[in-house]
Amino acid sequence: MTFLPQSHQRSSPEAHTPSSGQQLNLSGGSNRYTGEDGLYILHSAIAIGASYDSIERYPPPRCHPQTRKIVFEIILSWTKNALHGPRVMWVCGAAGSGKSAISQTVSEYCAQSGQLGATFFFSHGNGSDLSDGKLLFPTIAYKLAGAIPGLRGPLSRAIQANTSILTQSLELQIQKLIVEPFSMIRHPPIPTLIVIDGLDACDSAEMQHRILTLIAQLLVVHRLPLCFFITSRLQSHLEATFDTPVYRKLSTRIPLDVFVSDNDVRTFLYAEFAAVRQVHQEAMRGIPHPWPSEDVIELIVQKSEGQFLYPATVLKYVDDNSGRPAERLTEIVVAAVSAADAEPSLSLSPTDQLCHHVLSTSPDPAALMRILGPLVVLFSPLPPTELEVLLSLAPGDVSLILRDMHALVDVPSSSASPLQRVRIPQPSTIEFLLDIHRSMPFWIEPGKYHAEIVRGCIRYIGEFMDLTMQQLDLRLYQYTRKKWTRHLALATPSPELLQDLCELRFVYSRVPAEVRDVITWLQSIPQAPMTQDVLELWQGWLTQIGPPPTAFFVP
């Protein structure tokens, strides 16, 4: 399939990201703003890691060029003809069906063709910026201002005129940040594409429905020159929304289950195993051709059930530099055959069985869980060095402990950018780890690890009081200051955590909002003598820094 870029080109959003101290001509005319202009203010209210090209998503999932051909032909034909047809395309499918890989590939193609306006990749995680639906439309507006330069002036002026827009309702936000700026410019020749991936990962079903309602208003009521590419799992409340009369006229859908293809999986496996053999020539010396055998390929195809999650995880495990590919593939085959002979009542899905096998290869399960637990509950991923500081690990521990986990965890190499994060890329892996019936000995209890992160934040906040600006890690500082009370709200109380909350230097450096959050949490947990002592300490500090609302005191 040949991709032919559209003729109209737009500059990339990154080209318009404000830099410190820069003067910007935001309106395209003679008006110049300095300092805190509207785009600077808007930038503080967006989900930074939601973009298709965010470093927080590196390496992003992509579709193999020889697979999903029919699906991509349908999608790309729709993008070119959206002006005269449905303005919304909904791609739905099960976990592991490749929805995010499709969204990534569509985003990259439309960015090259000049049609891409904005992307938002939702990600599962209670409290994460990437699951917060309230950040969707400010993020879209900011990205649209980068893709369509004419929007930048009107958008900047709207925010400068009323900065409270960013804390008001979604309805008002889209009116002021999207509808009114578009009314002041000449519309592009074809609709600008907005990609929203993983809508089901947004924080609630109610918010998901609200987002779809507002998108319909943008297109039907305001008639904006936009088209929306949306992916999600096939969930009943989303299907009900797309089955309403408005969305039946407004949208088209691609149910990926209809396009399940063992041939696509087989093509993917042959191509990727050939690449593994090429990369690991020394380790593969003496391994006869063909490798893998046709029987092994067919076993993996059977386990895949037409989805790409299982074979992609197998290939990541086999392609790891810490082992020999042929030996690792043999491990997978033996584990798969053994699992097939297990009692039906004890059987797990092939992907769950594979997760168990990968996790079981760790020589130090306790150390492994000490890192995996925080990775699951962090509100945004952190680089290895910052994660080590937060968890009081020695330098290099993250890479060392996760060296056999590359099939499940993205771990930056030593030569990678210092901004690159450690992350669990597949939502299904996080769901596995949070489900005790599936993960069993590898179960992660969220409250326990939220508490560990709070303790790490308290330690770091105490340390940075003695650091100079040159010694301070600004990103970790911002994370600890902004997120520690959010982690506390979800933490399971422990004697160690309560003891850390008695650190006087830490207590007396907290601002009223943080103090009230701590008091609220302390009042919500089972009361004990130690809890009461900690509560009285924080209440006493609050009386000194400002009169608290009556509700924060125990009668």
Side-chain angles (χ1 to χ4, degrees), residues 421-450:
R421 271 72 164 171
V422 186
R423 67 189 184 102
I424 301 174
Q426 284 293 341
S428 57
T429 304
I430 296 175
E431 293 167 0
F432 165 82
L433 291 168
L434 291 174
D435 187 336
I436 191 171
H437 301 293
R438 295 166 62 193
S439 53
M440 293 175 284
F442 302 108
W443 176 56
I444 285 170
E445 180 185 0
K448 172 184 175 181
Y449 292 102
H450 279 295

mmCIF file of all heavy atoms in Angstrom, residues 421-450:
data_model
loop_
_atom_site.group_PDB
_atom_site.id
_atom_site.type_symbol
_atom_site.label_atom_id
_atom_site.label_comp_id
_atom_site.label_asym_id
_atom_site.label_seq_id
_atom_site.Cartn_x
_atom_site.Cartn_y
_atom_site.Cartn_z
ATOM 1 N N ARG A 421 11.443 7.572 29.947
ATOM 2 C CA ARG A 421 10.870 7.024 31.169
ATOM 3 C C ARG A 421 10.862 5.500 31.204
ATOM 4 O O ARG A 421 10.819 4.847 30.164
ATOM 5 C CB ARG A 421 9.430 7.492 31.321
ATOM 6 C CG ARG A 421 9.219 8.793 32.051
ATOM 7 C CD ARG A 421 9.632 9.991 31.292
ATOM 8 N NE ARG A 421 9.048 11.204 31.898
ATOM 9 C CZ ARG A 421 9.369 12.414 31.547
ATOM 10 N NH1 ARG A 421 10.271 12.615 30.618
ATOM 11 N NH2 ARG A 421 8.817 13.457 32.136
ATOM 12 N N VAL A 422 10.847 4.949 32.435
ATOM 13 C CA VAL A 422 10.556 3.540 32.642
ATOM 14 C C VAL A 422 9.038 3.403 32.696
ATOM 15 O O VAL A 422 8.378 4.141 33.435
ATOM 16 C CB VAL A 422 11.143 3.029 33.972
ATOM 17 C CG1 VAL A 422 10.959 1.519 34.087
ATOM 18 C CG2 VAL A 422 12.599 3.398 34.094
ATOM 19 N N ARG A 423 8.475 2.468 31.946
ATOM 20 C CA ARG A 423 7.019 2.370 31.931
ATOM 21 C C ARG A 423 6.577 0.972 31.529
ATOM 22 O O ARG A 423 7.342 0.210 30.914
ATOM 23 C CB ARG A 423 6.401 3.393 30.970
ATOM 24 C CG ARG A 423 6.718 3.146 29.515
ATOM 25 C CD ARG A 423 6.294 4.277 28.616
ATOM 26 N NE ARG A 423 6.540 3.957 27.210
ATOM 27 C CZ ARG A 423 5.608 3.566 26.348
ATOM 28 N NH1 ARG A 423 4.363 3.456 26.738
ATOM 29 N NH2 ARG A 423 5.910 3.286 25.097
ATOM 30 N N ILE A 424 5.369 0.639 31.922
ATOM 31 C CA ILE A 424 4.722 -0.595 31.485
ATOM 32 C C ILE A 424 3.813 -0.210 30.329
ATOM 33 O O ILE A 424 2.767 0.427 30.543
ATOM 34 C CB ILE A 424 3.922 -1.234 32.638
ATOM 35 C CG1 ILE A 424 4.850 -1.553 33.813
ATOM 36 C CG2 ILE A 424 3.216 -2.502 32.170
ATOM 37 C CD1 ILE A 424 4.140 -2.059 35.049
ATOM 38 N N PRO A 425 4.172 -0.540 29.080
ATOM 39 C CA PRO A 425 3.451 0.028 27.937
ATOM 40 C C PRO A 425 2.061 -0.549 27.706
ATOM 41 O O PRO A 425 1.199 0.131 27.161
ATOM 42 C CB PRO A 425 4.379 -0.292 26.751
ATOM 43 C CG PRO A 425 5.146 -1.495 27.188
ATOM 44 C CD PRO A 425 5.327 -1.360 28.671
ATOM 45 N N GLN A 426 1.836 -1.801 28.114
ATOM 46 C CA GLN A 426 0.556 -2.435 27.815
ATOM 47 C C GLN A 426 -0.416 -2.311 28.983
ATOM 48 O O GLN A 426 -0.137 -2.812 30.079
ATOM 49 C CB GLN A 426 0.762 -3.921 27.485
ATOM 50 C CG GLN A 426 1.311 -4.184 26.107
ATOM 51 C CD GLN A 426 0.332 -3.797 25.006
ATOM 52 O OE1 GLN A 426 -0.871 -3.666 25.230
ATOM 53 N NE2 GLN A 426 0.848 -3.613 23.806
ATOM 54 N N PRO A 427 -1.562 -1.668 28.802
ATOM 55 C CA PRO A 427 -2.569 -1.610 29.874
ATOM 56 C C PRO A 427 -2.967 -2.996 30.373
ATOM 57 O O PRO A 427 -3.258 -3.174 31.556
ATOM 58 C CB PRO A 427 -3.756 -0.900 29.218
ATOM 59 C CG PRO A 427 -3.158 -0.114 28.090
ATOM 60 C CD PRO A 427 -1.998 -0.924 27.605
ATOM 61 N N SER A 428 -2.961 -3.983 29.470
ATOM 62 C CA SER A 428 -3.356 -5.334 29.878
ATOM 63 C C SER A 428 -2.364 -5.924 30.881
ATOM 64 O O SER A 428 -2.752 -6.733 31.734
ATOM 65 C CB SER A 428 -3.474 -6.249 28.653
ATOM 66 O OG SER A 428 -2.257 -6.270 27.930
ATOM 67 N N THR A 429 -1.098 -5.525 30.813
ATOM 68 C CA THR A 429 -0.117 -5.994 31.796
ATOM 69 C C THR A 429 -0.418 -5.405 33.165
ATOM 70 O O THR A 429 -0.337 -6.099 34.195
ATOM 71 C CB THR A 429 1.312 -5.615 31.365
ATOM 72 O OG1 THR A 429 1.577 -6.137 30.066
ATOM 73 C CG2 THR A 429 2.342 -6.158 32.347
ATOM 74 N N ILE A 430 -0.778 -4.125 33.203
ATOM 75 C CA ILE A 430 -1.141 -3.482 34.465
ATOM 76 C C ILE A 430 -2.393 -4.133 35.043
ATOM 77 O O ILE A 430 -2.473 -4.415 36.250
ATOM 78 C CB ILE A 430 -1.341 -1.971 34.258
ATOM 79 C CG1 ILE A 430 -0.018 -1.321 33.843
ATOM 80 C CG2 ILE A 430 -1.907 -1.313 35.516
ATOM 81 C CD1 ILE A 430 -0.126 0.145 33.500
ATOM 82 N N GLU A 431 -3.371 -4.401 34.196
ATOM 83 C CA GLU A 431 -4.593 -5.060 34.661
ATOM 84 C C GLU A 431 -4.273 -6.442 35.217
ATOM 85 O O GLU A 431 -4.859 -6.860 36.235
ATOM 86 C CB GLU A 431 -5.592 -5.160 33.509
ATOM 87 C CG GLU A 431 -6.127 -3.806 33.061
ATOM 88 C CD GLU A 431 -6.859 -3.878 31.742
ATOM 89 O OE1 GLU A 431 -6.959 -4.991 31.175
ATOM 90 O OE2 GLU A 431 -7.335 -2.831 31.262
ATOM 91 N N PHE A 432 -3.369 -7.162 34.581
ATOM 92 C CA PHE A 432 -2.937 -8.474 35.072
ATOM 93 C C PHE A 432 -2.326 -8.362 36.463
ATOM 94 O O PHE A 432 -2.670 -9.119 37.381
ATOM 95 C CB PHE A 432 -1.924 -9.065 34.080
ATOM 96 C CG PHE A 432 -1.129 -10.225 34.614
ATOM 97 C CD1 PHE A 432 -1.651 -11.502 34.619
ATOM 98 C CD2 PHE A 432 0.161 -10.031 35.105
ATOM 99 C CE1 PHE A 432 -0.912 -12.579 35.114
ATOM 100 C CE2 PHE A 432 0.906 -11.080 35.601
ATOM 101 C CZ PHE A 432 0.371 -12.364 35.605
ATOM 102 N N LEU A 433 -1.433 -7.410 36.650
ATOM 103 C CA LEU A 433 -0.745 -7.255 37.929
ATOM 104 C C LEU A 433 -1.691 -6.823 39.051
ATOM 105 O O LEU A 433 -1.450 -7.131 40.226
ATOM 106 C CB LEU A 433 0.392 -6.245 37.788
ATOM 107 C CG LEU A 433 1.575 -6.698 36.934
ATOM 108 C CD1 LEU A 433 2.495 -5.519 36.633
ATOM 109 C CD2 LEU A 433 2.356 -7.814 37.618
ATOM 110 N N LEU A 434 -2.766 -6.130 38.708
ATOM 111 C CA LEU A 434 -3.713 -5.655 39.714
ATOM 112 C C LEU A 434 -4.809 -6.674 40.036
ATOM 113 O O LEU A 434 -5.608 -6.440 40.946
ATOM 114 C CB LEU A 434 -4.354 -4.342 39.246
ATOM 115 C CG LEU A 434 -3.438 -3.121 39.198
ATOM 116 C CD1 LEU A 434 -4.155 -1.938 38.572
ATOM 117 C CD2 LEU A 434 -2.939 -2.750 40.599
ATOM 118 N N ASP A 435 -4.857 -7.781 39.306
ATOM 119 C CA ASP A 435 -5.888 -8.806 39.504
ATOM 120 C C ASP A 435 -5.270 -10.002 40.212
ATOM 121 O O ASP A 435 -4.508 -10.767 39.622
ATOM 122 C CB ASP A 435 -6.463 -9.227 38.151
ATOM 123 C CG ASP A 435 -7.664 -10.157 38.283
ATOM 124 O OD1 ASP A 435 -7.795 -10.830 39.330
ATOM 125 O OD2 ASP A 435 -8.471 -10.223 37.338
ATOM 126 N N ILE A 436 -5.588 -10.176 41.491
ATOM 127 C CA ILE A 436 -4.964 -11.225 42.291
ATOM 128 C C ILE A 436 -5.269 -12.621 41.751
ATOM 129 O O ILE A 436 -4.465 -13.543 41.890
ATOM 130 C CB ILE A 436 -5.406 -11.105 43.772
ATOM 131 C CG1 ILE A 436 -4.560 -12.019 44.659
ATOM 132 C CG2 ILE A 436 -6.893 -11.389 43.923
ATOM 133 C CD1 ILE A 436 -4.789 -11.809 46.135
ATOM 134 N N HIS A 437 -6.417 -12.794 41.111
ATOM 135 C CA HIS A 437 -6.788 -14.113 40.583
ATOM 136 C C HIS A 437 -5.969 -14.482 39.347
ATOM 137 O O HIS A 437 -5.836 -15.661 39.027
ATOM 138 C CB HIS A 437 -8.275 -14.138 40.251
ATOM 139 C CG HIS A 437 -9.153 -13.853 41.433
ATOM 140 N ND1 HIS A 437 -9.254 -14.697 42.507
ATOM 141 C CD2 HIS A 437 -9.953 -12.777 41.720
ATOM 142 C CE1 HIS A 437 -10.090 -14.186 43.416
ATOM 143 N NE2 HIS A 437 -10.515 -13.019 42.954
ATOM 144 N N ARG A 438 -5.431 -13.487 38.670
ATOM 145 C CA ARG A 438 -4.617 -13.742 37.484
ATOM 146 C C ARG A 438 -3.124 -13.726 37.807
ATOM 147 O O ARG A 438 -2.376 -14.603 37.385
ATOM 148 C CB ARG A 438 -4.918 -12.698 36.401
ATOM 149 C CG ARG A 438 -6.337 -12.762 35.871
ATOM 150 C CD ARG A 438 -6.690 -11.505 35.074
ATOM 151 N NE ARG A 438 -5.833 -11.337 33.908
ATOM 152 C CZ ARG A 438 -5.756 -10.223 33.196
ATOM 153 N NH1 ARG A 438 -6.494 -9.168 33.549
ATOM 154 N NH2 ARG A 438 -4.964 -10.144 32.155
ATOM 155 N N SER A 439 -2.691 -12.741 38.573
ATOM 156 C CA SER A 439 -1.256 -12.579 38.832
ATOM 157 C C SER A 439 -0.770 -13.404 40.020
ATOM 158 O O SER A 439 0.404 -13.723 40.111
ATOM 159 C CB SER A 439 -0.924 -11.105 39.057
ATOM 160 O OG SER A 439 -1.750 -10.551 40.061
ATOM 161 N N MET A 440 -1.657 -13.715 40.954
ATOM 162 C CA MET A 440 -1.354 -14.555 42.121
ATOM 163 C C MET A 440 -0.102 -14.091 42.866
ATOM 164 O O MET A 440 -0.139 -13.019 43.461
ATOM 165 C CB MET A 440 -1.336 -16.021 41.697
ATOM 166 C CG MET A 440 -2.742 -16.508 41.289
ATOM 167 S SD MET A 440 -2.833 -18.180 40.638
ATOM 168 C CE MET A 440 -2.193 -17.979 38.983
ATOM 169 N N PRO A 441 1.044 -14.804 42.812
ATOM 170 C CA PRO A 441 2.180 -14.336 43.627
ATOM 171 C C PRO A 441 2.745 -12.990 43.184
ATOM 172 O O PRO A 441 3.501 -12.359 43.923
ATOM 173 C CB PRO A 441 3.228 -15.442 43.452
ATOM 174 C CG PRO A 441 2.888 -16.083 42.156
ATOM 175 C CD PRO A 441 1.396 -16.021 42.065
ATOM 176 N N PHE A 442 2.379 -12.531 42.001
ATOM 177 C CA PHE A 442 2.888 -11.257 41.499
ATOM 178 C C PHE A 442 1.854 -10.124 41.636
ATOM 179 O O PHE A 442 2.003 -9.070 41.030
ATOM 180 C CB PHE A 442 3.301 -11.408 40.027
ATOM 181 C CG PHE A 442 4.332 -12.479 39.813
ATOM 182 C CD1 PHE A 442 3.998 -13.673 39.192
ATOM 183 C CD2 PHE A 442 5.630 -12.314 40.268
ATOM 184 C CE1 PHE A 442 4.940 -14.680 39.010
ATOM 185 C CE2 PHE A 442 6.578 -13.306 40.092
ATOM 186 C CZ PHE A 442 6.228 -14.497 39.463
ATOM 187 N N TRP A 443 0.840 -10.379 42.453
ATOM 188 C CA TRP A 443 -0.209 -9.374 42.646
ATOM 189 C C TRP A 443 0.354 -8.116 43.285
ATOM 190 O O TRP A 443 1.163 -8.166 44.220
ATOM 191 C CB TRP A 443 -1.310 -9.937 43.534
ATOM 192 C CG TRP A 443 -2.387 -8.942 43.873
ATOM 193 C CD1 TRP A 443 -3.140 -8.227 42.993
ATOM 194 C CD2 TRP A 443 -2.825 -8.572 45.177
ATOM 195 N NE1 TRP A 443 -4.037 -7.426 43.670
ATOM 196 C CE2 TRP A 443 -3.865 -7.610 45.020
ATOM 197 C CE3 TRP A 443 -2.451 -8.945 46.463
ATOM 198 C CZ2 TRP A 443 -4.521 -7.037 46.094
ATOM 199 C CZ3 TRP A 443 -3.104 -8.369 47.540
ATOM 200 C CH2 TRP A 443 -4.122 -7.430 47.351
ATOM 201 N N ILE A 444 -0.087 -6.988 42.772
ATOM 202 C CA ILE A 444 0.326 -5.688 43.299
ATOM 203 C C ILE A 444 -0.868 -5.059 44.004
ATOM 204 O O ILE A 444 -1.912 -4.829 43.389
ATOM 205 C CB ILE A 444 0.843 -4.780 42.165
ATOM 206 C CG1 ILE A 444 2.242 -5.250 41.745
ATOM 207 C CG2 ILE A 444 0.872 -3.321 42.589
ATOM 208 C CD1 ILE A 444 2.764 -4.611 40.509
ATOM 209 N N GLU A 445 -0.717 -4.815 45.304
ATOM 210 C CA GLU A 445 -1.748 -4.154 46.097
ATOM 211 C C GLU A 445 -1.525 -2.642 45.998
ATOM 212 O O GLU A 445 -0.539 -2.122 46.530
ATOM 213 C CB GLU A 445 -1.663 -4.599 47.550
ATOM 214 C CG GLU A 445 -2.700 -3.956 48.442
ATOM 215 C CD GLU A 445 -2.512 -4.321 49.906
ATOM 216 O OE1 GLU A 445 -1.570 -5.081 50.226
ATOM 217 O OE2 GLU A 445 -3.295 -3.821 50.726
ATOM 218 N N PRO A 446 -2.391 -1.908 45.310
ATOM 219 C CA PRO A 446 -2.115 -0.488 45.033
ATOM 220 C C PRO A 446 -1.823 0.338 46.276
ATOM 221 O O PRO A 446 -0.883 1.142 46.296
ATOM 222 C CB PRO A 446 -3.393 -0.019 44.330
ATOM 223 C CG PRO A 446 -3.995 -1.250 43.755
ATOM 224 C CD PRO A 446 -3.657 -2.352 44.706
ATOM 225 N N GLY A 447 -2.636 0.180 47.326
ATOM 226 C CA GLY A 447 -2.459 1.010 48.514
ATOM 227 C C GLY A 447 -1.084 0.892 49.135
ATOM 228 O O GLY A 447 -0.517 1.882 49.624
ATOM 229 N N LYS A 448 -0.529 -0.303 49.113
ATOM 230 C CA LYS A 448 0.803 -0.534 49.675
ATOM 231 C C LYS A 448 1.854 0.289 48.942
ATOM 232 O O LYS A 448 2.737 0.896 49.557
ATOM 233 C CB LYS A 448 1.140 -2.022 49.598
ATOM 234 C CG LYS A 448 2.567 -2.378 49.961
ATOM 235 C CD LYS A 448 2.817 -3.866 49.755
ATOM 236 C CE LYS A 448 4.283 -4.218 49.999
ATOM 237 N NZ LYS A 448 4.519 -5.674 49.772
ATOM 238 N N TYR A 449 1.748 0.311 47.615
ATOM 239 C CA TYR A 449 2.776 0.999 46.833
ATOM 240 C C TYR A 449 2.534 2.503 46.750
ATOM 241 O O TYR A 449 3.485 3.271 46.599
ATOM 242 C CB TYR A 449 2.901 0.343 45.459
ATOM 243 C CG TYR A 449 3.484 -1.044 45.589
ATOM 244 C CD1 TYR A 449 2.675 -2.175 45.510
ATOM 245 C CD2 TYR A 449 4.833 -1.231 45.857
ATOM 246 C CE1 TYR A 449 3.196 -3.452 45.657
ATOM 247 C CE2 TYR A 449 5.366 -2.500 46.018
ATOM 248 C CZ TYR A 449 4.549 -3.599 45.917
ATOM 249 O OH TYR A 449 5.074 -4.856 46.094
ATOM 250 N N HIS A 450 1.269 2.925 46.849
ATOM 251 C CA HIS A 450 1.032 4.364 47.009
ATOM 252 C C HIS A 450 1.716 4.849 48.287
ATOM 253 O O HIS A 450 2.315 5.934 48.311
ATOM 254 C CB HIS A 450 -0.471 4.660 47.063
ATOM 255 C CG HIS A 450 -1.138 4.715 45.731
ATOM 256 N ND1 HIS A 450 -0.855 5.675 44.785
ATOM 257 C CD2 HIS A 450 -2.091 3.898 45.178
ATOM 258 C CE1 HIS A 450 -1.609 5.470 43.707
ATOM 259 N NE2 HIS A 450 -2.356 4.407 43.919
#
